[in-house]
Protein backbone atom coordinates (compact mmCIF):
# COMPACT_ATOMS: atom_id res chain seq x y z
CA UNK A 1 0.00 0.00 0.00
CA UNK A 2 1.00 3.59 -0.58
CA UNK A 3 3.21 5.43 1.89
CA UNK A 4 1.11 8.51 1.19
CA UNK A 5 -2.02 6.97 2.71
CA UNK A 6 -0.72 4.43 5.25
CA UNK A 7 0.60 5.79 8.54
CA UNK A 8 1.74 4.53 11.94
CA UNK A 9 1.35 7.86 13.76
CA UNK A 10 -0.80 10.95 13.99
CA UNK A 11 -0.60 14.10 16.09
CA UNK A 12 -3.73 16.02 17.06
CA UNK A 13 -4.43 18.84 19.52
CA UNK A 14 -7.57 19.32 21.56
CA UNK A 15 -9.46 22.54 20.81
CA UNK A 16 -8.92 25.36 23.31
CA UNK A 17 -11.66 27.54 24.77
CA UNK A 18 -10.10 30.42 22.80
CA UNK A 19 -11.26 28.74 19.57
CA UNK A 20 -14.12 31.25 19.43
CA UNK A 21 -11.46 33.83 18.44
CA UNK A 22 -10.15 31.68 15.59
CA UNK A 23 -9.48 33.08 12.14
CA UNK A 24 -12.22 32.80 9.52
CA UNK A 25 -12.71 34.05 5.98
CA UNK A 26 -16.43 34.63 6.48
CA UNK A 27 -18.11 34.98 9.86
CA UNK A 28 -20.86 32.35 10.06
CA UNK A 29 -20.98 32.36 13.85
CA UNK A 30 -18.74 31.22 16.67
CA UNK A 31 -18.05 27.51 17.05
CA UNK A 32 -19.65 25.61 19.91
CA UNK A 33 -16.74 24.27 21.98
CA UNK A 34 -18.66 21.36 23.49
CA UNK A 35 -19.82 20.14 20.09
CA UNK A 36 -16.35 20.64 18.63
CA UNK A 37 -14.84 18.55 21.42
CA UNK A 38 -17.31 15.76 20.66
CA UNK A 39 -16.45 15.87 16.96
CA UNK A 40 -12.74 15.94 17.76
CA UNK A 41 -13.04 12.91 20.03
CA UNK A 42 -14.80 10.97 17.26
CA UNK A 43 -12.03 11.98 14.84
CA UNK A 44 -9.27 10.79 17.19
CA UNK A 45 -11.13 7.55 17.86
CA UNK A 46 -11.39 6.86 14.12
CA UNK A 47 -7.65 7.36 13.67
CA UNK A 48 -6.89 5.04 16.58
CA UNK A 49 -9.28 2.44 15.20
CA UNK A 50 -6.87 1.89 12.30
CA UNK A 51 -4.15 0.80 14.71
CA UNK A 52 -2.15 4.02 14.57
CA UNK A 53 -0.49 5.67 17.55
CA UNK A 54 -2.28 8.99 18.06
CA UNK A 55 -0.56 11.68 20.14
CA UNK A 56 -3.25 14.01 21.45
CA UNK A 57 -1.67 17.26 22.60
CA UNK A 58 -3.29 19.52 25.21
CA UNK A 59 -5.12 22.73 24.26
CA UNK A 60 -3.11 25.91 23.68
CA UNK A 61 -5.33 28.75 24.81
CA UNK A 62 -2.80 31.35 23.63
CA UNK A 63 -3.30 30.14 20.06
CA UNK A 64 -6.98 30.03 19.07
CA UNK A 65 -6.36 28.12 15.81
CA UNK A 66 -3.98 25.56 17.31
CA UNK A 67 -6.44 22.67 16.82
CA UNK A 68 -5.51 22.88 13.12
CA UNK A 69 -2.14 21.20 13.57
CA UNK A 70 -1.67 20.29 9.90
CA UNK A 71 -0.57 23.83 9.08
CA UNK A 72 2.41 23.62 11.43
CA UNK A 73 4.51 20.97 9.69
CA UNK A 74 5.10 18.65 6.76
CA UNK A 75 5.81 15.10 7.93
CA UNK A 76 7.59 12.74 5.54
CA UNK A 77 9.13 9.32 6.20
CA UNK A 78 12.65 10.78 6.18
CA UNK A 79 11.97 13.72 8.49
CA UNK A 80 9.73 16.65 9.31
CA UNK A 81 9.77 20.27 8.20
CA UNK A 82 8.28 22.89 10.52
CA UNK A 83 6.24 25.38 8.53
CA UNK A 84 6.11 29.18 8.71
CA UNK A 85 2.42 30.20 8.77
CA UNK A 86 1.49 33.46 7.09
CA UNK A 87 -0.97 34.55 9.78
CA UNK A 88 1.09 36.28 12.52
CA UNK A 89 -1.12 34.81 15.24
CA UNK A 90 -0.15 31.31 14.11
CA UNK A 91 3.66 31.55 14.05
CA UNK A 92 3.84 30.41 17.66
CA UNK A 93 1.89 27.24 16.88
CA UNK A 94 4.70 25.96 14.67
CA UNK A 95 7.27 26.57 17.42
CA UNK A 96 5.07 24.65 19.87
CA UNK A 97 4.89 21.69 17.49
CA UNK A 98 8.63 21.39 16.85
CA UNK A 99 9.60 19.55 20.08
CA UNK A 100 6.80 17.04 19.60
CA UNK A 101 8.19 16.20 16.17
CA UNK A 102 11.74 16.02 17.52
CA UNK A 103 10.56 13.32 19.94
CA UNK A 104 9.53 11.12 17.00
CA UNK A 105 11.96 12.03 14.21
CA UNK A 106 15.74 11.95 13.93
CA UNK A 107 15.70 14.96 11.61
CA UNK A 108 13.49 18.02 11.95
CA UNK A 109 14.13 21.05 9.76
CA UNK A 110 12.29 24.36 9.54
CA UNK A 111 11.28 27.05 7.08
CA UNK A 112 13.19 30.08 8.35
CA UNK A 113 13.40 32.64 5.54
CA UNK A 114 11.96 36.00 6.66
CA UNK A 115 10.08 36.30 3.37
CA UNK A 116 8.99 32.65 3.33
CA UNK A 117 5.45 31.69 4.28
CA UNK A 118 3.97 28.23 3.89
CA UNK A 119 1.23 26.24 5.64
CA UNK A 120 0.62 22.51 5.63
CA UNK A 121 -2.91 22.95 4.35
CA UNK A 122 -1.39 23.91 1.00
CA UNK A 123 0.62 20.68 0.69
CA UNK A 124 -0.67 17.47 -0.89
CA UNK A 125 1.81 14.60 -0.78
CA UNK A 126 1.32 11.88 -3.38
CA UNK A 127 3.47 8.89 -4.28
CA UNK A 128 5.14 10.73 -7.13
CA UNK A 129 5.45 14.35 -5.95
CA UNK A 130 4.64 17.00 -3.38
CA UNK A 131 2.03 19.41 -4.71
CA UNK A 132 2.12 22.82 -3.04
CA UNK A 133 -0.56 25.43 -3.64
CA UNK A 134 0.33 29.10 -3.95
CA UNK A 135 -2.30 30.87 -1.88
CA UNK A 136 -2.87 33.78 0.48
CA UNK A 137 -1.09 31.68 3.13
CA UNK A 138 1.73 30.17 1.04
CA UNK A 139 4.06 32.19 -1.18
CA UNK A 140 6.70 31.47 -3.79
CA UNK A 141 9.57 31.95 -1.33
CA UNK A 142 8.08 29.41 1.06
CA UNK A 143 7.58 26.88 -1.72
CA UNK A 144 11.14 27.37 -3.00
CA UNK A 145 12.60 26.93 0.48
CA UNK A 146 10.60 23.76 1.06
CA UNK A 147 11.77 22.36 -2.29
CA UNK A 148 15.40 22.94 -1.29
CA UNK A 149 14.92 21.25 2.09
CA UNK A 150 13.22 18.09 0.85
CA UNK A 151 15.32 17.58 -2.31
CA UNK A 152 18.06 15.65 -0.44
CA UNK A 153 15.34 13.24 0.72
CA UNK A 154 14.44 12.55 -2.90
CA UNK A 155 11.18 14.50 -3.02
CA UNK A 156 10.10 16.69 -5.92
CA UNK A 157 7.93 19.75 -5.28
CA UNK A 158 5.48 21.07 -7.87
CA UNK A 159 3.68 24.38 -7.43
CA UNK A 160 0.00 24.71 -8.26
CA UNK A 161 -2.26 27.72 -7.98
CA UNK A 162 -5.13 27.76 -5.53
CA UNK A 163 -8.43 29.09 -6.96
CA UNK A 164 -9.28 32.65 -5.89
CA UNK A 165 -11.17 32.84 -2.61
CA UNK A 166 -10.02 29.40 -1.42
CA UNK A 167 -7.94 29.35 1.77
CA UNK A 168 -5.69 26.36 1.06
CA UNK A 169 -5.28 24.01 -1.87
CA UNK A 170 -6.43 21.09 0.31
CA UNK A 171 -9.63 22.98 1.04
CA UNK A 172 -10.53 21.74 -2.43
CA UNK A 173 -8.83 18.34 -2.73
CA UNK A 174 -7.55 15.25 -0.98
CA UNK A 175 -5.68 12.06 -1.81
CA UNK A 176 -7.79 8.88 -1.83
CA UNK A 177 -5.11 6.43 -2.96
CA UNK A 178 -1.82 6.44 -4.86
CA UNK A 179 -3.52 7.39 -8.13
CA UNK A 180 -6.81 9.04 -7.13
CA UNK A 181 -7.59 12.59 -6.00
CA UNK A 182 -10.94 13.84 -4.74
CA UNK A 183 -11.38 17.41 -5.95
CA UNK A 184 -13.73 20.26 -6.64
CA UNK A 185 -14.29 20.99 -10.31
CA UNK A 186 -12.98 24.54 -9.83
CA UNK A 187 -9.59 23.07 -8.90
CA UNK A 188 -9.44 20.01 -11.16
CA UNK A 189 -10.47 22.12 -14.18
CA UNK A 190 -7.13 23.90 -13.92
CA UNK A 191 -5.39 20.73 -15.09
CA UNK A 192 -3.16 20.58 -12.01
CA UNK A 193 -3.95 16.88 -11.49
CA UNK A 194 -3.09 15.68 -14.99
CA UNK A 195 -2.04 12.04 -14.84
CA UNK A 196 -4.15 11.25 -11.78
CA UNK A 197 -7.58 9.70 -11.61
CA UNK A 198 -9.97 12.42 -10.45
CA UNK A 199 -13.25 12.10 -8.59
CA UNK A 200 -15.03 15.45 -8.59
CA UNK A 201 -17.38 16.17 -5.70
CA UNK A 202 -20.95 17.05 -6.77
CA UNK A 203 -21.91 20.69 -7.17
CA UNK A 204 -22.96 22.14 -3.84
CA UNK A 205 -20.81 19.70 -1.86
CA UNK A 206 -17.45 21.41 -2.39
CA UNK A 207 -16.68 21.28 1.35
CA UNK A 208 -16.56 17.48 1.11
CA UNK A 209 -13.40 17.63 -1.03
CA UNK A 210 -11.32 17.91 2.13
CA UNK A 211 -11.17 14.33 3.40
CA UNK A 212 -8.29 12.19 4.58
CA UNK A 213 -7.33 8.68 3.61
CA UNK A 214 -5.84 7.21 6.78
CA UNK A 215 -4.89 3.55 6.39
CA UNK A 216 -8.10 1.73 5.44
CA UNK A 217 -10.48 4.57 6.27
CA UNK A 218 -11.56 7.64 4.35
CA UNK A 219 -12.66 10.23 6.90
CA UNK A 220 -15.04 12.78 5.44
CA UNK A 221 -17.17 15.55 6.93
CA UNK A 222 -20.74 14.53 7.66
CA UNK A 223 -23.59 16.05 5.71
CA UNK A 224 -22.57 15.42 2.09
CA UNK A 225 -24.54 12.35 1.00
CA UNK A 226 -23.81 12.52 -2.73
CA UNK A 227 -20.05 12.59 -2.14
CA UNK A 228 -20.39 9.77 0.40
CA UNK A 229 -22.26 7.68 -2.14
CA UNK A 230 -19.62 8.37 -4.81
CA UNK A 231 -16.87 7.19 -2.50
CA UNK A 232 -18.88 4.15 -1.42
CA UNK A 233 -19.48 3.21 -5.04
CA UNK A 234 -15.75 3.58 -5.76
CA UNK A 235 -15.00 1.01 -3.07
CA UNK A 236 -13.67 3.18 -0.27
CA UNK A 237 -14.42 2.52 3.40
CA UNK A 238 -15.97 5.83 4.42
CA UNK A 239 -16.39 7.22 7.92
CA UNK A 240 -18.38 10.44 8.35
CA UNK A 241 -17.24 12.78 11.12
CA UNK A 242 -19.09 15.88 12.31
CA UNK A 243 -17.31 19.03 11.17
CA UNK A 244 -19.90 21.78 11.59
CA UNK A 245 -17.88 23.73 14.16
CA UNK A 246 -14.47 23.49 12.49
CA UNK A 247 -16.10 24.54 9.23
CA UNK A 248 -16.96 27.88 10.84
CA UNK A 249 -13.19 28.45 11.01
CA UNK A 250 -12.46 27.19 7.48
CA UNK A 251 -11.27 23.86 8.91
CA UNK A 252 -11.76 20.34 7.58
CA UNK A 253 -10.67 16.74 8.08
CA UNK A 254 -7.05 17.17 7.02
CA UNK A 255 -6.52 20.28 9.17
CA UNK A 256 -6.97 18.35 12.42
CA UNK A 257 -3.98 16.03 12.29
CA UNK A 258 -0.42 15.45 11.20
CA UNK A 259 -0.21 11.95 9.68
CA UNK A 260 3.10 10.15 9.21
CA UNK A 261 5.35 7.13 9.58
CA UNK A 262 8.70 8.25 10.98
CA UNK A 263 11.75 6.37 9.75
Amino acid sequence: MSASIRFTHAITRRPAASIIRGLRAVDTGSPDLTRMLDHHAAYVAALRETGATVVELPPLDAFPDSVFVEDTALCLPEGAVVMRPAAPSRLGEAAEMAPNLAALYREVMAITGPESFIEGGDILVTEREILVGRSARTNAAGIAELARLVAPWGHKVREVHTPPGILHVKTDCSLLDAETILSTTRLSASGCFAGYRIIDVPEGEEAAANTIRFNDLVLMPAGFPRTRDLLDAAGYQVREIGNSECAKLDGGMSCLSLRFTPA
Side-chain angles (χ1 to χ4, degrees), residues 78-149:
E78 301 84 1
V81 182
V82 178
M83 299 286 100
R84 194 162 188 270
S89 63
R90 302 200 66 192
L91 280 170
E93 295 176 36
E96 290 279 353
M97 185 56 69
N100 296 291
L101 296 170
L104 293 164
Y105 277 105
R106 287 192 294 270
E107 187 167 9
V108 177
M109 300 186 291
I111 303 293
T112 59
E115 302 302 320
S116 297
F117 295 103
I118 186 167
E119 298 186 356
D122 275 317
I123 303 173
L124 182 72
V125 179
T126 78
E127 285 298 285
R128 64 184 82 161
E129 60 189 340
I130 299 174
L131 297 171
V132 186
R134 179 98 71 91
S135 72
R137 300 288 186 87
T138 295
N139 64 11
I143 297 171
E145 187 170 347
L146 177 67
R148 289 194 299 272
L149 292 177

Side-chain angles (χ1 to χ4, degrees), residues 9-156:
H9 289 70
I11 294 177
T12 66
R13 188 181 292 282
R14 282 170 59 84
S18 60
I19 193 75
I20 59 173
R21 302 195 303 273
L23 299 172
R24 64 205 78 181
V26 178
D27 192 352
T28 59
S30 292
D32 180 297
L33 179 61
T34 300
R35 184 174 298 158
M36 184 182 281
L37 286 168
D38 288 344
H39 291 167
H40 196 265
Y43 180 92
V44 170
L47 298 181
R48 286 187 170 137
E49 182 184 319
T50 71
T53 297
V54 181
V55 178
E56 190 172 8
L57 301 174
L60 283 176
D61 202 62
F63 301 102
D65 294 288
S66 56
V67 66
F68 301 126
V69 293
E70 181 181 55
D71 289 324
T72 66
L74 171 63
C75 295
L76 298 167
E78 301 84 1
V81 182
V82 178
M83 299 286 100
R84 194 162 188 270
S89 63
R90 302 200 66 192
L91 280 170
E93 295 176 36
E96 290 279 353
M97 185 56 69
N100 296 291
L101 296 170
L104 293 164
Y105 277 105
R106 287 192 294 270
E107 187 167 9
V108 177
M109 300 186 291
I111 303 293
T112 59
E115 302 302 320
S116 297
F117 295 103
I118 186 167
E119 298 186 356
D122 275 317
I123 303 173
L124 182 72
V125 179
T126 78
E127 285 298 285
R128 64 184 82 161
E129 60 189 340
I130 299 174
L131 297 171
V132 186
R134 179 98 71 91
S135 72
R137 300 288 186 87
T138 295
N139 64 11
I143 297 171
E145 187 170 347
L146 177 67
R148 289 194 299 272
L149 292 177
V150 302
W153 293 339
H155 293 281
K156 180 179 69 173

Side-chain angles (χ1 to χ4, degrees), residues 180-229:
T180 309
I181 292 174
L182 182 68
S183 180
T184 62
T185 55
R186 61 191 169 196
L187 181 58
S188 65
S190 71
C192 64
F193 300 134
Y196 293 92
R197 175 187 177 219
I198 300 168
I199 298 177
D200 283 324
V201 298
E203 185 178 354
E205 294 197 356
E206 285 78 10
N210 182 265
T211 69
I212 57 168
R213 173 71 186 272
F214 192 88
N215 298 332
D216 293 330
L217 289 180
V218 173
L219 273 61
M220 67 167 287
F224 302 97
R226 289 179 293 160
T227 301
R228 179 200 61 216
D229 291 348

Side-chain angles (χ1 to χ4, degrees), residues 28 31-32 35-36 39 221-222 241-249 251:
T28 59
D32 180 297
R35 184 174 298 158
M36 184 182 281
H39 291 167
I241 304 288
N243 191 58
S244 59
E245 307 315 295
C246 286
K248 295 173 183 177
L249 303 171

